[in-house]
Amino acid sequence: MHYQLVKILMTIATRIFYRKIHFLNSDRIPENGPAILIANHPGSLMDAALLGLLLKRPIHFFARGDIFKSSLISTILRALHMHPVHHHLDGRSSLAANDQSFETAIQLLKNGELVLFFPEGFSHIEHYLLPFKKGSFRLAFQTMEKAGLESLPILPIGFHYSHPTSVFSTVWIMAGEKIETAAYYFNNEDKPAQAIRKLCDAAYQAISAITIQVDKPRADLLFTILEVMRTEPAYQSMDTYKQWQCEKNISIALNNYSENQLFPVKAYQTELKVSHLKEEWMVAAEKPSPNRWLHLLNWLLATPGFLIHGIPLLIAKWIADNKVKRIDFYAWILVAAGALIDLAWHFLLFILIGSIMSYRFALLFLVVSLIAGRISLKISPAIIQANRIAKGKKIPASTVQLMRVNRSKIRNELRAYLS
């Protein structure tokens, strides 16, 4: 019951935060029967949350044990089908706890459930993969043995966020071809360590094929290139899969770029940092100023929703800005806190209005709040874009002209992928 209620609440919250959520090849996820899902881990708890929201069947997640230290948080996470996995560096006590977690996972799989693991072991926003840990693959073989299964499918999942923290950003989730454990188990039955290693290597290659990633030293450059590319009209006119494929092709090519090809990217990236500017402002600087009266009308239409929902959302943003120490946790904390605080805020207003006036009027307020919030959500992108243009127009013309040189070189390089 808790799982379904939170799923509804978080579905609304994530659909507000993200402009688009694309789940590619979702039909590869089995509708029934046991399976292990493995995924890259760029978004901390948001990765597991999004997958849980998008899948029709329940899913169980295994996440880092240190986030379960608080008894209150542990209770909430367990209600959401989350279970702890501890790192072996945490000491002897973590080994016993891990044995219990493994037994929980095996029992879930024996019962025909979906179980999700992040074999990188740690979340990080950068566009590269960490080496995989072998625990989930060892568990796959143990489950086959204890449950008497002929095989146990492993489904690779790739997460790709257009930006780790920005509201109205985009998420691509790609499901890969399933890996059957039987081929690795029975062909190496007398060499279990070798079987686990081969299965781990196959899983790493499968995740590599469905994620946008490069060699670690070039990950930051890829982020800049992709930001520039997403502003191109040719890219924006592509369908969802072609956009993902385009970004994948660029990530593959970037590993083979020469230093001459990388120079304009590095130079542009440095210019942005030195000038304390953002790519979105550079794009906005070249756009015409919005109609003043239309901008004013947008504000008038959006204001009721901002007034009703603004306080809880500002509190949630303050929590995310001031309490989150790692950027990969930012979006999850902002979305989760915003959803819970907004729900509590409306409950208090409902009780207050109902007590002072009538509960019929309180119900009417909730309806008005939903409509006003919907209008604000629709208009917000236009207001944000107008603010970006205003910031872009403040950039000195000489700075824009200087930075346009390297940006144009990047755009010329990208045209081969956009044609």
Side-chain angles (χ1 to χ4, degrees):
M1 186 64 177
H2 291 130
Y3 182 82
Q4 292 301 326
L5 286 174
V6 174
K7 185 173 181 176
I8 293 171
L9 179 63
M10 290 304 297
T11 296
I12 296 171
T14 52
R15 291 295 179 179
I16 292 172
F17 184 82
Y18 293 108
R19 183 170 62 95
K20 293 180 181 178
I21 301 174
H22 304 297
F23 195 1
L24 306 174
N25 299 330
S26 60
D27 57 328
R28 290 176 173 172
I29 307 297
E31 294 182 0
N32 50 63
I36 292 177
L37 307 182
I38 57 168
N40 64 321
H41 205 12
S44 185
L45 293 173
M46 186 61 79
D47 299 334
L50 284 174
L51 202 55
L53 298 176
L54 293 169
L55 292 176
K56 294 180 181 179
R57 57 183 296 194
I59 182 172
H60 293 262
F61 322 109
F62 281 78
R64 283 175 44 186
D66 57 345
I67 65 174
F68 290 79
K69 289 181 179 179
S70 165
S71 58
L72 175 60
I73 293 177
S74 178
T75 300
I76 295 172
L77 294 179
R78 289 178 189 278
L80 297 175
H81 294 180
M82 292 190 183
H83 311 273
V85 172
H86 300 272
H87 198 281
H88 67 87
L89 297 177
D90 293 338
R92 287 181 175 272
S93 61
S94 68
L95 297 178
N98 254 8
D99 289 341
Q100 181 58 49
S101 295
F102 268 49
E103 286 301 319
T104 299
I106 290 171
Q107 189 58 50
L108 288 168
L109 290 165
K110 287 172 70 175
N111 293 338
E113 300 285 354
L114 278 181
V115 175
L116 171 65
F117 287 99
F118 299 102
E120 288 182 279
F122 298 94
S123 64
H124 61 102
I125 64 169
E126 297 81 10
H127 292 299
Y128 62 84
L129 286 178
L130 295 170
F132 281 7
K133 301 183 186 304
K134 300 183 179 69
S136 54
F137 309 107
R138 184 179 296 110
L139 179 138
F141 289 153
Q142 291 176 351
T143 302
M144 286 178 62
E145 293 170 353
K146 294 187 177 184
L149 300 175
E150 293 184 0
S151 188
L152 178 64
I154 294 178
L155 280 299
I157 304 291
F159 287 94
H160 179 46
Y161 297 82
S162 64
H163 197 283
T165 62
S166 289
V167 67
F168 302 135
S169 53
T170 301
V171 188
W172 292 264
I173 304 171
M174 171 73 80
E177 296 280 359
K178 70 178 178 180
I179 303 169
E180 289 292 355
T181 55
Y184 298 89
Y185 181 82
F186 292 112
N187 291 341
N188 302 275
E189 202 167 358
D190 57 335
K191 299 177 181 179
Q194 186 179 82
I196 292 170
R197 186 177 68 254
K198 287 184 176 180
L199 180 57
C200 182
D201 291 344
Y204 187 91
Q205 293 302 317
I207 291 293
S208 296
I210 58 172
T211 51
I212 314 298
Q213 41 83 28
V214 291
D215 295 339
K216 186 176 179 179
R218 298 188 173 188
D220 198 34
L221 298 176
L222 177 61
F223 183 84
T224 299
I225 291 173
L226 295 180
E227 277 204 310
V228 173
M229 185 187 66
R230 292 182 191 125
T231 66
E232 293 292 314
Y235 174 87
Q236 294 171 358
S237 65
M238 290 179 176
D239 63 35
T240 300
Y241 183 80
K242 285 185 178 180
Q243 287 181 342
W244 182 92
Q245 190 61 60
C246 186
E247 299 203 6
K248 178 63 177 176
N249 291 341
I250 289 172
S251 70
I252 294 172
L254 185 59
N255 280 327
N256 300 315
Y257 269 24
S258 66
E259 284 302 315
N260 284 338
Q261 287 175 296
L262 290 176
F263 177 78
V265 184
K266 291 180 177 179
Y268 183 62
Q269 195 176 65
T270 300
E271 289 165 354
L272 286 173
K273 290 179 180 178
V274 170
S275 303
H276 303 288
L277 299 175
K278 297 181 179 181
E279 161 64 14
E280 60 195 32
W281 298 349
M282 291 299 301
V283 177
E286 300 178 358
K287 293 183 178 296
S289 298
N291 181 281
R292 183 177 299 178
W293 292 108
L294 179 61
H295 184 55
L296 178 60
L297 177 62
N298 284 337
W299 266 108
L300 290 173
L301 291 172
T303 295
F306 289 160
L307 290 175
I308 296 172
H309 298 271
I311 292 177
L313 295 182
L314 286 173
I315 293 173
K317 189 176 187 307
W318 182 89
I319 292 172
D321 289 343
N322 293 278
K323 300 299 180 181
V324 176
K325 305 301 180 185
R326 287 176 42 182
I327 194 169
D328 50 319
F329 279 84
Y330 185 92
W332 163 257
I333 296 297
L334 179 59
V335 171
L340 292 173
I341 296 172
D342 195 53
L343 181 65
W345 172 250
H346 276 74
F347 177 76
L348 289 175
L349 288 177
F350 177 79
I351 297 298
L352 182 62
I353 294 172
S355 300
I356 296 175
M357 304 180 73
S358 71
Y359 282 101
R360 181 177 295 180
F361 195 83
L363 284 172
L364 178 62
F365 164 76
L366 292 182
V367 173
V368 171
S369 174
L370 288 173
I371 296 173
R374 181 72 175 173
I375 293 172
S376 297
L377 180 62
K378 287 291 185 181
I379 295 175
S380 290
I383 293 175
I384 291 173
Q385 179 64 10
N387 290 338
R388 287 173 180 170
I389 292 174
K391 290 179 180 179
K393 298 301 182 185
K394 292 179 181 179
I395 303 173
S398 57
T399 302
V400 173
Q401 188 63 35
L402 177 66
M403 297 180 69
R404 189 177 289 160
V405 174
N406 286 314
R407 192 174 186 278
S408 295
K409 292 179 180 178
I410 298 172
R411 293 178 66 189
N412 289 336
E413 190 73 31
L414 291 172
R415 286 200 175 99
Y417 303 95
L418 295 170
S419 58

